[in-house]
PDB file of all heavy atoms in Angstrom:
ATOM      1  N   VAL A 170       0.875  -1.173   0.000  1.00 95.00           N
ATOM      2  CA  VAL A 170       0.000   0.000   0.000  1.00 95.00           C
ATOM      3  C   VAL A 170       0.912   1.223   0.000  1.00 95.00           C
ATOM      4  O   VAL A 170       1.637   1.470   0.967  1.00 95.00           O
ATOM      5  CB  VAL A 170      -0.914   0.022   1.235  1.00 95.00           C
ATOM      6  CG1 VAL A 170      -1.654   1.348   1.343  1.00 95.00           C
ATOM      7  CG2 VAL A 170      -1.908  -1.133   1.166  1.00 95.00           C
ATOM      8  N   THR A 171       0.894   1.971  -1.098  1.00 95.00           N
ATOM      9  CA  THR A 171       1.768   3.138  -1.232  1.00 95.00           C
ATOM     10  C   THR A 171       1.019   4.248  -1.948  1.00 95.00           C
ATOM     11  O   THR A 171       0.608   4.072  -3.102  1.00 95.00           O
ATOM     12  CB  THR A 171       3.041   2.807  -2.037  1.00 95.00           C
ATOM     13  OG1 THR A 171       3.695   1.671  -1.463  1.00 95.00           O
ATOM     14  CG2 THR A 171       3.997   3.996  -2.031  1.00 95.00           C
ATOM     15  N   ILE A 172       0.810   5.366  -1.255  1.00 95.00           N
ATOM     16  CA  ILE A 172       0.291   6.545  -1.935  1.00 95.00           C
ATOM     17  C   ILE A 172       1.364   7.620  -1.869  1.00 95.00           C
ATOM     18  O   ILE A 172       2.154   7.686  -0.929  1.00 95.00           O
ATOM     19  CB  ILE A 172      -1.034   7.046  -1.341  1.00 95.00           C
ATOM     20  CG1 ILE A 172      -0.882   7.402   0.138  1.00 95.00           C
ATOM     21  CG2 ILE A 172      -2.126   6.018  -1.533  1.00 95.00           C
ATOM     22  CD1 ILE A 172      -2.114   8.072   0.701  1.00 95.00           C
ATOM     23  N   ALA A 173       1.395   8.449  -2.888  1.00 97.00           N
ATOM     24  CA  ALA A 173       2.452   9.453  -2.987  1.00 97.00           C
ATOM     25  C   ALA A 173       1.906  10.694  -3.667  1.00 97.00           C
ATOM     26  O   ALA A 173       0.873  10.662  -4.344  1.00 97.00           O
ATOM     27  CB  ALA A 173       3.637   8.895  -3.775  1.00 97.00           C
ATOM     28  N   LEU A 174       2.615  11.804  -3.464  1.00 96.00           N
ATOM     29  CA  LEU A 174       2.305  13.044  -4.155  1.00 96.00           C
ATOM     30  C   LEU A 174       3.246  13.201  -5.347  1.00 96.00           C
ATOM     31  O   LEU A 174       4.333  12.607  -5.376  1.00 96.00           O
ATOM     32  CB  LEU A 174       2.437  14.228  -3.210  1.00 96.00           C
ATOM     33  CG  LEU A 174       1.548  14.188  -1.963  1.00 96.00           C
ATOM     34  CD1 LEU A 174       1.776  15.432  -1.101  1.00 96.00           C
ATOM     35  CD2 LEU A 174       0.076  14.066  -2.336  1.00 96.00           C
ATOM     36  N   GLY A 175       2.841  14.005  -6.309  1.00 96.00           N
ATOM     37  CA  GLY A 175       3.675  14.235  -7.478  1.00 96.00           C
ATOM     38  C   GLY A 175       4.974  14.934  -7.117  1.00 96.00           C
ATOM     39  O   GLY A 175       5.182  15.400  -5.988  1.00 96.00           O
ATOM     40  N   ALA A 176       5.854  15.005  -8.085  1.00 95.00           N
ATOM     41  CA  ALA A 176       7.170  15.599  -7.871  1.00 95.00           C
ATOM     42  C   ALA A 176       7.048  17.071  -7.474  1.00 95.00           C
ATOM     43  O   ALA A 176       6.376  17.857  -8.147  1.00 95.00           O
ATOM     44  CB  ALA A 176       8.017  15.458  -9.129  1.00 95.00           C
ATOM     45  N   THR A 177       7.698  17.428  -6.376  1.00 92.00           N
ATOM     46  CA  THR A 177       7.683  18.808  -5.898  1.00 92.00           C
ATOM     47  C   THR A 177       8.473  19.698  -6.853  1.00 92.00           C
ATOM     48  O   THR A 177       9.498  19.300  -7.395  1.00 92.00           O
ATOM     49  CB  THR A 177       8.300  18.886  -4.490  1.00 92.00           C
ATOM     50  OG1 THR A 177       7.559  18.027  -3.616  1.00 92.00           O
ATOM     51  CG2 THR A 177       8.260  20.303  -3.938  1.00 92.00           C
ATOM     52  N   GLY A 178       7.976  20.925  -7.035  1.00 89.00           N
ATOM     53  CA  GLY A 178       8.665  21.867  -7.894  1.00 89.00           C
ATOM     54  C   GLY A 178       8.113  21.925  -9.291  1.00 89.00           C
ATOM     55  O   GLY A 178       8.625  22.668 -10.136  1.00 89.00           O
ATOM     56  N   ALA A 179       7.084  21.124  -9.569  1.00 93.00           N
ATOM     57  CA  ALA A 179       6.415  21.140 -10.871  1.00 93.00           C
ATOM     58  C   ALA A 179       4.920  21.244 -10.628  1.00 93.00           C
ATOM     59  O   ALA A 179       4.458  21.235  -9.487  1.00 93.00           O
ATOM     60  CB  ALA A 179       6.761  19.886 -11.662  1.00 93.00           C
ATOM     61  N   SER A 180       4.144  21.304 -11.701  1.00 94.00           N
ATOM     62  CA  SER A 180       2.692  21.410 -11.547  1.00 94.00           C
ATOM     63  C   SER A 180       2.088  20.165 -10.907  1.00 94.00           C
ATOM     64  O   SER A 180       0.927  20.166 -10.512  1.00 94.00           O
ATOM     65  CB  SER A 180       2.041  21.659 -12.912  1.00 94.00           C
ATOM     66  OG  SER A 180       2.331  20.595 -13.797  1.00 94.00           O
ATOM     67  N   THR A 181       2.889  19.105 -10.793  1.00 96.00           N
ATOM     68  CA  THR A 181       2.422  17.886 -10.134  1.00 96.00           C
ATOM     69  C   THR A 181       2.384  18.022  -8.613  1.00 96.00           C
ATOM     70  O   THR A 181       1.794  17.179  -7.937  1.00 96.00           O
ATOM     71  CB  THR A 181       3.331  16.705 -10.501  1.00 96.00           C
ATOM     72  OG1 THR A 181       4.690  17.070 -10.247  1.00 96.00           O
ATOM     73  CG2 THR A 181       3.169  16.338 -11.969  1.00 96.00           C
ATOM     74  N   ASN A 182       3.007  19.076  -8.072  1.00 97.00           N
ATOM     75  CA  ASN A 182       2.949  19.314  -6.620  1.00 97.00           C
ATOM     76  C   ASN A 182       3.406  20.738  -6.300  1.00 97.00           C
ATOM     77  O   ASN A 182       4.600  21.005  -6.190  1.00 97.00           O
ATOM     78  CB  ASN A 182       3.823  18.310  -5.860  1.00 97.00           C
ATOM     79  CG  ASN A 182       3.651  18.425  -4.347  1.00 97.00           C
ATOM     80  OD1 ASN A 182       2.951  19.301  -3.856  1.00 97.00           O
ATOM     81  ND2 ASN A 182       4.301  17.538  -3.615  1.00 97.00           N
ATOM     82  N   ARG A 183       2.433  21.627  -6.124  1.00 97.00           N
ATOM     83  CA  ARG A 183       2.713  23.016  -5.755  1.00 97.00           C
ATOM     84  C   ARG A 183       2.348  23.309  -4.305  1.00 97.00           C
ATOM     85  O   ARG A 183       2.321  24.477  -3.896  1.00 97.00           O
ATOM     86  CB  ARG A 183       1.932  23.965  -6.671  1.00 97.00           C
ATOM     87  CG  ARG A 183       2.302  23.904  -8.146  1.00 97.00           C
ATOM     88  CD  ARG A 183       3.689  24.412  -8.407  1.00 97.00           C
ATOM     89  NE  ARG A 183       3.936  24.585  -9.838  1.00 97.00           N
ATOM     90  CZ  ARG A 183       5.129  24.849 -10.341  1.00 97.00           C
ATOM     91  NH1 ARG A 183       6.195  24.966  -9.546  1.00 97.00           N
ATOM     92  NH2 ARG A 183       5.274  25.011 -11.654  1.00 97.00           N
ATOM     93  N   LEU A 184       2.076  22.261  -3.507  1.00 96.00           N
ATOM     94  CA  LEU A 184       1.644  22.497  -2.139  1.00 96.00           C
ATOM     95  C   LEU A 184       2.727  23.118  -1.262  1.00 96.00           C
ATOM     96  O   LEU A 184       2.443  23.587  -0.165  1.00 96.00           O
ATOM     97  CB  LEU A 184       1.158  21.179  -1.498  1.00 96.00           C
ATOM     98  CG  LEU A 184      -0.174  20.627  -2.012  1.00 96.00           C
ATOM     99  CD1 LEU A 184      -0.501  19.319  -1.309  1.00 96.00           C
ATOM    100  CD2 LEU A 184      -1.289  21.641  -1.812  1.00 96.00           C
ATOM    101  N   ASN A 185       3.954  23.114  -1.726  1.00 95.00           N
ATOM    102  CA  ASN A 185       5.031  23.723  -0.938  1.00 95.00           C
ATOM    103  C   ASN A 185       5.174  25.220  -1.213  1.00 95.00           C
ATOM    104  O   ASN A 185       6.029  25.882  -0.617  1.00 95.00           O
ATOM    105  CB  ASN A 185       6.360  23.020  -1.222  1.00 95.00           C
ATOM    106  CG  ASN A 185       6.829  23.231  -2.646  1.00 95.00           C
ATOM    107  OD1 ASN A 185       6.027  23.173  -3.585  1.00 95.00           O
ATOM    108  ND2 ASN A 185       8.121  23.462  -2.827  1.00 95.00           N
ATOM    109  N   ILE A 186       4.370  25.770  -2.098  1.00 95.00           N
ATOM    110  CA  ILE A 186       4.452  27.190  -2.448  1.00 95.00           C
ATOM    111  C   ILE A 186       3.501  27.989  -1.568  1.00 95.00           C
ATOM    112  O   ILE A 186       2.283  27.766  -1.592  1.00 95.00           O
ATOM    113  CB  ILE A 186       4.105  27.426  -3.936  1.00 95.00           C
ATOM    114  CG1 ILE A 186       4.985  26.555  -4.839  1.00 95.00           C
ATOM    115  CG2 ILE A 186       4.242  28.898  -4.282  1.00 95.00           C
ATOM    116  CD1 ILE A 186       6.456  26.860  -4.742  1.00 95.00           C
ATOM    117  N   GLY A 187       4.043  28.900  -0.779  1.00 95.00           N
ATOM    118  CA  GLY A 187       3.235  29.715   0.123  1.00 95.00           C
ATOM    119  C   GLY A 187       2.613  30.914  -0.582  1.00 95.00           C
ATOM    120  O   GLY A 187       2.776  31.113  -1.787  1.00 95.00           O
ATOM    121  N   ALA A 188       1.895  31.698   0.205  1.00 96.00           N
ATOM    122  CA  ALA A 188       1.270  32.931  -0.310  1.00 96.00           C
ATOM    123  C   ALA A 188       1.270  33.949   0.820  1.00 96.00           C
ATOM    124  O   ALA A 188       1.144  33.592   1.994  1.00 96.00           O
ATOM    125  CB  ALA A 188      -0.145  32.658  -0.794  1.00 96.00           C
ATOM    126  N   SER A 189       1.428  35.199   0.467  1.00 95.00           N
ATOM    127  CA  SER A 189       1.460  36.257   1.476  1.00 95.00           C
ATOM    128  C   SER A 189       0.604  37.435   1.019  1.00 95.00           C
ATOM    129  O   SER A 189       0.208  37.519  -0.152  1.00 95.00           O
ATOM    130  CB  SER A 189       2.905  36.718   1.742  1.00 95.00           C
ATOM    131  OG  SER A 189       3.494  37.225   0.542  1.00 95.00           O
ATOM    132  N   GLY A 190       0.338  38.362   1.950  1.00 96.00           N
ATOM    133  CA  GLY A 190      -0.416  39.568   1.627  1.00 96.00           C
ATOM    134  C   GLY A 190      -1.872  39.300   1.283  1.00 96.00           C
ATOM    135  O   GLY A 190      -2.460  40.007   0.456  1.00 96.00           O
ATOM    136  N   LEU A 191      -2.471  38.274   1.899  1.00 96.00           N
ATOM    137  CA  LEU A 191      -3.868  37.961   1.607  1.00 96.00           C
ATOM    138  C   LEU A 191      -4.792  39.071   2.103  1.00 96.00           C
ATOM    139  O   LEU A 191      -4.581  39.653   3.175  1.00 96.00           O
ATOM    140  CB  LEU A 191      -4.280  36.651   2.279  1.00 96.00           C
ATOM    141  CG  LEU A 191      -3.715  35.344   1.713  1.00 96.00           C
ATOM    142  CD1 LEU A 191      -4.259  34.167   2.505  1.00 96.00           C
ATOM    143  CD2 LEU A 191      -4.028  35.209   0.242  1.00 96.00           C
ATOM    144  N   ALA A 192      -5.827  39.347   1.331  1.00 97.00           N
ATOM    145  CA  ALA A 192      -6.906  40.261   1.719  1.00 97.00           C
ATOM    146  C   ALA A 192      -8.216  39.491   1.640  1.00 97.00           C
ATOM    147  O   ALA A 192      -8.304  38.462   0.946  1.00 97.00           O
ATOM    148  CB  ALA A 192      -6.949  41.477   0.790  1.00 97.00           C
ATOM    149  N   PRO A 193      -9.243  39.914   2.368  1.00 97.00           N
ATOM    150  CA  PRO A 193     -10.529  39.224   2.300  1.00 97.00           C
ATOM    151  C   PRO A 193     -11.002  39.066   0.861  1.00 97.00           C
ATOM    152  O   PRO A 193     -10.948  40.005   0.062  1.00 97.00           O
ATOM    153  CB  PRO A 193     -11.463  40.141   3.102  1.00 97.00           C
ATOM    154  CG  PRO A 193     -10.552  40.799   4.107  1.00 97.00           C
ATOM    155  CD  PRO A 193      -9.269  41.021   3.359  1.00 97.00           C
ATOM    156  N   GLY A 194     -11.419  37.855   0.516  1.00 97.00           N
ATOM    157  CA  GLY A 194     -11.878  37.531  -0.839  1.00 97.00           C
ATOM    158  C   GLY A 194     -10.812  36.918  -1.722  1.00 97.00           C
ATOM    159  O   GLY A 194     -11.130  36.381  -2.791  1.00 97.00           O
ATOM    160  N   ASP A 195      -9.528  36.970  -1.324  1.00 97.00           N
ATOM    161  CA  ASP A 195      -8.447  36.380  -2.129  1.00 97.00           C
ATOM    162  C   ASP A 195      -8.510  34.855  -2.106  1.00 97.00           C
ATOM    163  O   ASP A 195      -8.973  34.238  -1.133  1.00 97.00           O
ATOM    164  CB  ASP A 195      -7.077  36.823  -1.610  1.00 97.00           C
ATOM    165  CG  ASP A 195      -6.743  38.251  -1.983  1.00 97.00           C
ATOM    166  OD1 ASP A 195      -7.491  38.856  -2.777  1.00 97.00           O
ATOM    167  OD2 ASP A 195      -5.725  38.778  -1.468  1.00 97.00           O
ATOM    168  N   THR A 196      -7.985  34.248  -3.166  1.00 98.00           N
ATOM    169  CA  THR A 196      -7.905  32.791  -3.253  1.00 98.00           C
ATOM    170  C   THR A 196      -6.476  32.360  -3.545  1.00 98.00           C
ATOM    171  O   THR A 196      -5.688  33.111  -4.136  1.00 98.00           O
ATOM    172  CB  THR A 196      -8.831  32.231  -4.356  1.00 98.00           C
ATOM    173  OG1 THR A 196      -8.436  32.778  -5.610  1.00 98.00           O
ATOM    174  CG2 THR A 196     -10.286  32.570  -4.067  1.00 98.00           C
ATOM    175  N   ILE A 197      -6.148  31.157  -3.133  1.00 98.00           N
ATOM    176  CA  ILE A 197      -4.848  30.526  -3.399  1.00 98.00           C
ATOM    177  C   ILE A 197      -5.140  29.190  -4.074  1.00 98.00           C
ATOM    178  O   ILE A 197      -5.837  28.346  -3.496  1.00 98.00           O
ATOM    179  CB  ILE A 197      -4.063  30.277  -2.098  1.00 98.00           C
ATOM    180  CG1 ILE A 197      -3.922  31.549  -1.278  1.00 98.00           C
ATOM    181  CG2 ILE A 197      -2.705  29.655  -2.390  1.00 98.00           C
ATOM    182  CD1 ILE A 197      -3.486  31.285   0.156  1.00 98.00           C
ATOM    183  N   GLN A 198      -4.613  28.970  -5.268  1.00 98.00           N
ATOM    184  CA  GLN A 198      -4.786  27.698  -5.963  1.00 98.00           C
ATOM    185  C   GLN A 198      -3.444  26.979  -6.073  1.00 98.00           C
ATOM    186  O   GLN A 198      -2.432  27.575  -6.438  1.00 98.00           O
ATOM    187  CB  GLN A 198      -5.369  27.907  -7.367  1.00 98.00           C
ATOM    188  CG  GLN A 198      -6.804  28.407  -7.384  1.00 98.00           C
ATOM    189  CD  GLN A 198      -7.402  28.444  -8.784  1.00 98.00           C
ATOM    190  OE1 GLN A 198      -6.695  28.261  -9.788  1.00 98.00           O
ATOM    191  NE2 GLN A 198      -8.700  28.653  -8.871  1.00 98.00           N
ATOM    192  N   ARG A 199      -3.468  25.688  -5.733  1.00 98.00           N
ATOM    193  CA  ARG A 199      -2.263  24.861  -5.838  1.00 98.00           C
ATOM    194  C   ARG A 199      -2.659  23.501  -6.406  1.00 98.00           C
ATOM    195  O   ARG A 199      -3.620  22.875  -5.954  1.00 98.00           O
ATOM    196  CB  ARG A 199      -1.586  24.668  -4.469  1.00 98.00           C
ATOM    197  CG  ARG A 199      -1.129  25.965  -3.810  1.00 98.00           C
ATOM    198  CD  ARG A 199       0.036  26.590  -4.544  1.00 98.00           C
ATOM    199  NE  ARG A 199       0.549  27.786  -3.881  1.00 98.00           N
ATOM    200  CZ  ARG A 199       0.186  29.034  -4.184  1.00 98.00           C
ATOM    201  NH1 ARG A 199      -0.710  29.250  -5.163  1.00 98.00           N
ATOM    202  NH2 ARG A 199       0.702  30.057  -3.537  1.00 98.00           N
ATOM    203  N   SER A 200      -1.898  23.043  -7.378  1.00 98.00           N
ATOM    204  CA  SER A 200      -2.157  21.717  -7.962  1.00 98.00           C
ATOM    205  C   SER A 200      -1.287  20.663  -7.288  1.00 98.00           C
ATOM    206  O   SER A 200      -0.185  20.941  -6.808  1.00 98.00           O
ATOM    207  CB  SER A 200      -1.868  21.728  -9.467  1.00 98.00           C
ATOM    208  OG  SER A 200      -0.497  22.017  -9.707  1.00 98.00           O
ATOM    209  N   VAL A 201      -1.792  19.441  -7.260  1.00 98.00           N
ATOM    210  CA  VAL A 201      -1.019  18.319  -6.715  1.00 98.00           C
ATOM    211  C   VAL A 201      -1.580  17.023  -7.277  1.00 98.00           C
ATOM    212  O   VAL A 201      -2.802  16.865  -7.400  1.00 98.00           O
ATOM    213  CB  VAL A 201      -1.050  18.299  -5.168  1.00 98.00           C
ATOM    214  CG1 VAL A 201      -2.476  18.111  -4.642  1.00 98.00           C
ATOM    215  CG2 VAL A 201      -0.129  17.219  -4.617  1.00 98.00           C
ATOM    216  N   ASP A 202      -0.692  16.120  -7.669  1.00 98.00           N
ATOM    217  CA  ASP A 202      -1.105  14.784  -8.115  1.00 98.00           C
ATOM    218  C   ASP A 202      -1.062  13.823  -6.941  1.00 98.00           C
ATOM    219  O   ASP A 202      -0.110  13.825  -6.142  1.00 98.00           O
ATOM    220  CB  ASP A 202      -0.187  14.262  -9.213  1.00 98.00           C
ATOM    221  CG  ASP A 202      -0.457  14.905 -10.566  1.00 98.00           C
ATOM    222  OD1 ASP A 202      -1.425  15.692 -10.669  1.00 98.00           O
ATOM    223  OD2 ASP A 202       0.310  14.626 -11.509  1.00 98.00           O
ATOM    224  N   LEU A 203      -2.087  13.001  -6.827  1.00 98.00           N
ATOM    225  CA  LEU A 203      -2.141  11.946  -5.815  1.00 98.00           C
ATOM    226  C   LEU A 203      -2.065  10.609  -6.537  1.00 98.00           C
ATOM    227  O   LEU A 203      -2.921  10.302  -7.377  1.00 98.00           O
ATOM    228  CB  LEU A 203      -3.427  12.044  -4.995  1.00 98.00           C
ATOM    229  CG  LEU A 203      -3.621  10.993  -3.895  1.00 98.00           C
ATOM    230  CD1 LEU A 203      -2.564  11.149  -2.807  1.00 98.00           C
ATOM    231  CD2 LEU A 203      -5.020  11.100  -3.291  1.00 98.00           C
ATOM    232  N   LEU A 204      -1.033   9.808  -6.222  1.00 97.00           N
ATOM    233  CA  LEU A 204      -0.762   8.570  -6.951  1.00 97.00           C
ATOM    234  C   LEU A 204      -0.894   7.359  -6.036  1.00 97.00           C
ATOM    235  O   LEU A 204      -0.439   7.382  -4.888  1.00 97.00           O
ATOM    236  CB  LEU A 204       0.658   8.567  -7.536  1.00 97.00           C
ATOM    237  CG  LEU A 204       1.110   9.695  -8.453  1.00 97.00           C
ATOM    238  CD1 LEU A 204       1.581  10.912  -7.660  1.00 97.00           C
ATOM    239  CD2 LEU A 204       2.250   9.205  -9.341  1.00 97.00           C
ATOM    240  N   ASN A 205      -1.505   6.312  -6.560  1.00 97.00           N
ATOM    241  CA  ASN A 205      -1.464   5.006  -5.905  1.00 97.00           C
ATOM    242  C   ASN A 205      -0.376   4.202  -6.593  1.00 97.00           C
ATOM    243  O   ASN A 205      -0.593   3.594  -7.634  1.00 97.00           O
ATOM    244  CB  ASN A 205      -2.816   4.298  -6.019  1.00 97.00           C
ATOM    245  CG  ASN A 205      -2.817   2.937  -5.322  1.00 97.00           C
ATOM    246  OD1 ASN A 205      -1.773   2.404  -4.994  1.00 97.00           O
ATOM    247  ND2 ASN A 205      -3.996   2.377  -5.123  1.00 97.00           N
ATOM    248  N   SER A 206       0.812   4.212  -6.009  1.00 95.00           N
ATOM    249  CA  SER A 206       1.953   3.530  -6.621  1.00 95.00           C
ATOM    250  C   SER A 206       2.209   2.170  -5.992  1.00 95.00           C
ATOM    251  O   SER A 206       3.240   1.541  -6.258  1.00 95.00           O
ATOM    252  CB  SER A 206       3.213   4.404  -6.514  1.00 95.00           C
ATOM    253  OG  SER A 206       3.455   4.785  -5.175  1.00 95.00           O
ATOM    254  N   GLY A 207       1.279   1.691  -5.151  1.00 95.00           N
ATOM    255  CA  GLY A 207       1.408   0.359  -4.578  1.00 95.00           C
ATOM    256  C   GLY A 207       0.798  -0.694  -5.483  1.00 95.00           C
ATOM    257  O   GLY A 207       0.245  -0.398  -6.543  1.00 95.00           O
ATOM    258  N   SER A 208       0.878  -1.945  -5.063  1.00 95.00           N
ATOM    259  CA  SER A 208       0.337  -3.051  -5.865  1.00 95.00           C
ATOM    260  C   SER A 208      -1.082  -3.424  -5.462  1.00 95.00           C
ATOM    261  O   SER A 208      -1.707  -4.263  -6.110  1.00 95.00           O
ATOM    262  CB  SER A 208       1.247  -4.285  -5.720  1.00 95.00           C
ATOM    263  OG  SER A 208       1.286  -4.721  -4.375  1.00 95.00           O
ATOM    264  N   LEU A 209      -1.606  -2.808  -4.384  1.00 95.00           N
ATOM    265  CA  LEU A 209      -2.950  -3.129  -3.908  1.00 95.00           C
ATOM    266  C   LEU A 209      -3.911  -1.974  -4.161  1.00 95.00           C
ATOM    267  O   LEU A 209      -3.531  -0.802  -4.069  1.00 95.00           O
ATOM    268  CB  LEU A 209      -2.928  -3.431  -2.402  1.00 95.00           C
ATOM    269  CG  LEU A 209      -2.148  -4.663  -1.946  1.00 95.00           C
ATOM    270  CD1 LEU A 209      -2.159  -4.756  -0.428  1.00 95.00           C
ATOM    271  CD2 LEU A 209      -2.710  -5.935  -2.565  1.00 95.00           C
ATOM    272  N   ASP A 210      -5.160  -2.309  -4.456  1.00 96.00           N
ATOM    273  CA  ASP A 210      -6.210  -1.301  -4.488  1.00 96.00           C
ATOM    274  C   ASP A 210      -6.488  -0.826  -3.059  1.00 96.00           C
ATOM    275  O   ASP A 210      -6.144  -1.502  -2.085  1.00 96.00           O
ATOM    276  CB  ASP A 210      -7.490  -1.878  -5.092  1.00 96.00           C
ATOM    277  CG  ASP A 210      -7.353  -2.165  -6.582  1.00 96.00           C
ATOM    278  OD1 ASP A 210      -6.392  -1.655  -7.192  1.00 96.00           O
ATOM    279  OD2 ASP A 210      -8.202  -2.897  -7.118  1.00 96.00           O
ATOM    280  N   LEU A 211      -7.122   0.321  -2.952  1.00 97.00           N
ATOM    281  CA  LEU A 211      -7.418   0.905  -1.647  1.00 97.00           C
ATOM    282  C   LEU A 211      -8.917   0.908  -1.389  1.00 97.00           C
ATOM    283  O   LEU A 211      -9.727   1.050  -2.307  1.00 97.00           O
ATOM    284  CB  LEU A 211      -6.884   2.336  -1.578  1.00 97.00           C
ATOM    285  CG  LEU A 211      -5.388   2.519  -1.842  1.00 97.00           C
ATOM    286  CD1 LEU A 211      -5.026   4.006  -1.799  1.00 97.00           C
ATOM    287  CD2 LEU A 211      -4.558   1.743  -0.836  1.00 97.00           C
ATOM    288  N   ALA A 212      -9.279   0.766  -0.113  1.00 96.00           N
ATOM    289  CA  ALA A 212     -10.676   0.909   0.282  1.00 96.00           C
ATOM    290  C   ALA A 212     -11.037   2.367   0.457  1.00 96.00           C
ATOM    291  O   ALA A 212     -12.167   2.777   0.188  1.00 96.00           O
ATOM    292  CB  ALA A 212     -10.943   0.148   1.578  1.00 96.00           C
ATOM    293  N   SER A 213     -10.049   3.181   0.898  1.00 96.00           N
ATOM    294  CA  SER A 213     -10.332   4.602   1.133  1.00 96.00           C
ATOM    295  C   SER A 213      -9.033   5.389   1.206  1.00 96.00           C
ATOM    296  O   SER A 213      -7.951   4.827   1.439  1.00 96.00           O
ATOM    297  CB  SER A 213     -11.107   4.793   2.441  1.00 96.00           C
ATOM    298  OG  SER A 213     -10.310   4.414   3.554  1.00 96.00           O
ATOM    299  N   VAL A 214      -9.167   6.688   0.984  1.00 97.00           N
ATOM    300  CA  VAL A 214      -8.088   7.650   1.211  1.00 97.00           C
ATOM    301  C   VAL A 214      -8.674   8.771   2.065  1.00 97.00           C
ATOM    302  O   VAL A 214      -9.773   9.256   1.793  1.00 97.00           O
ATOM    303  CB  VAL A 214      -7.540   8.225  -0.110  1.00 97.00           C
ATOM    304  CG1 VAL A 214      -6.587   9.388   0.167  1.00 97.00           C
ATOM    305  CG2 VAL A 214      -6.834   7.147  -0.913  1.00 97.00           C
ATOM    306  N   THR A 215      -7.963   9.138   3.116  1.00 97.00           N
ATOM    307  CA  THR A 215      -8.406  10.248   3.954  1.00 97.00           C
ATOM    308  C   THR A 215      -7.357  11.354   3.936  1.00 97.00           C
ATOM    309  O   THR A 215      -6.179  11.112   3.648  1.00 97.00           O
ATOM    310  CB  THR A 215      -8.647   9.807   5.409  1.00 97.00           C
ATOM    311  OG1 THR A 215      -7.429   9.280   5.961  1.00 97.00           O
ATOM    312  CG2 THR A 215      -9.741   8.753   5.487  1.00 97.00           C
TER     313      THR A 215
END
């Protein structure tokens, strides 16, 4: 059972990129790939 995130530093994982100077109503969008790289299917992901 192996789940992983995409490679950091590319559009496959931008979750490490912060944001500053937020004002009410602003949004932050970050992309990330979630991979099942194990040999078993999963019942759930939380």
